[in-house]
Amino acid sequence: MQRGWFRVELDQNANDEGGAGERKSMRRPHGFAPGQDHLLDAAPQAAFVPKPKGSGSSKGRKSSVQQSGPGPVPVGAVQAITAGGRVATILERKQRGWFAVELDGNANDEGGAFERKSMRRPMFAPGQDALLDRARESAPSQQSKRPQAGAPEERAAQRQRFER
């Protein structure tokens, strides 16, 4: 169970808390009478076992299909070491300090084998700033947030209309 939650078995008296002998999970502030913190703290804690990747429902999530090999790498891609010691091929440098990378073939807590993901500069091992700056920049966005008039004459004409 996670921190603050307890797995309990209720007594044989059915009431609004649950049925007789019912097993349920209860949270500290909601299901227990005040003044019992010392009893709850003494309860044995279950080991937290995270769910394996790809288990359970994938509704609304990215596909959990594992890539069997590296994908195509653009010309000029550089390789850097992540904070966890893996080799990351930097596919492109995005905006605001993000990098699109493809990880090496060793799966660990940083990501799956050959997983493509976005990483920030602090997620790389220190001392690689010059290397990260050499990564090719992403192509500029095709859509501008605010359309601007093309020629300076058109902008001047728009300013004159607003000033009147």
Side-chain angles (χ1 to χ4, degrees):
M1 303 283 334
Q2 291 184 348
R3 175 179 233 115
W5 286 89
F6 297 89
R7 172 69 75 186
V8 297
E9 184 174 336
L10 300 176
D11 61 10
Q12 297 304 315
N13 299 325
N15 59 19
D16 61 340
E17 289 180 344
E22 179 182 353
R23 290 183 179 197
K24 62 189 279 185
S25 297
M26 296 176 70
R27 192 157 169 79
R28 182 183 295 243
H30 303 292
F32 300 101
Q36 297 184 353
D37 290 340
H38 65 286
L39 296 173
L40 297 174
D41 291 337
Q45 292 188 3
F48 176 71
V49 180
K51 291 182 182 177
K53 278 193 171 181
S55 68
S57 168
S58 61
K59 186 197 287 188
R61 296 187 191 145
K62 291 182 180 177
S63 171
S64 63
V65 175
Q66 294 292 325
Q67 195 171 350
S68 60
V73 177
V75 176
V78 295
Q79 291 187 333
I81 305 297
T82 65
R86 291 183 62 181
V87 176
T89 303
I90 302 174
L91 305 172
E92 66 180 2
R93 185 167 29 130
K94 296 180 168 186
Q95 295 179 349
R96 298 187 174 115
W98 287 93
F99 296 89
V101 302
E102 181 178 78
L103 297 174
D104 60 10
N106 304 321
N108 69 2
D109 60 334
E110 286 184 316
F114 305 112
E115 180 181 345
R116 289 190 173 207
K117 62 188 283 184
S118 295
M119 296 177 73
R120 297 232 26 173
R121 193 174 291 258
M123 301 167 100
F124 293 97
Q128 301 184 90
D129 290 337
L131 181 76
L132 295 173
D133 290 338
R134 282 199 322 241
R136 74 178 189 93
E137 290 190 40
S138 62
S141 170
Q142 296 298 325
Q143 291 183 343
S144 173
K145 291 185 179 177
R146 286 181 54 196
Q148 295 184 359
E153 297 85 26
E154 292 178 39
R155 289 194 301 267
Q158 282 183 346
R159 272 196 305 268
Q160 287 178 356
R161 275 188 273 158
F162 290 126
E163 292 173 358
R164 290 182 192 176

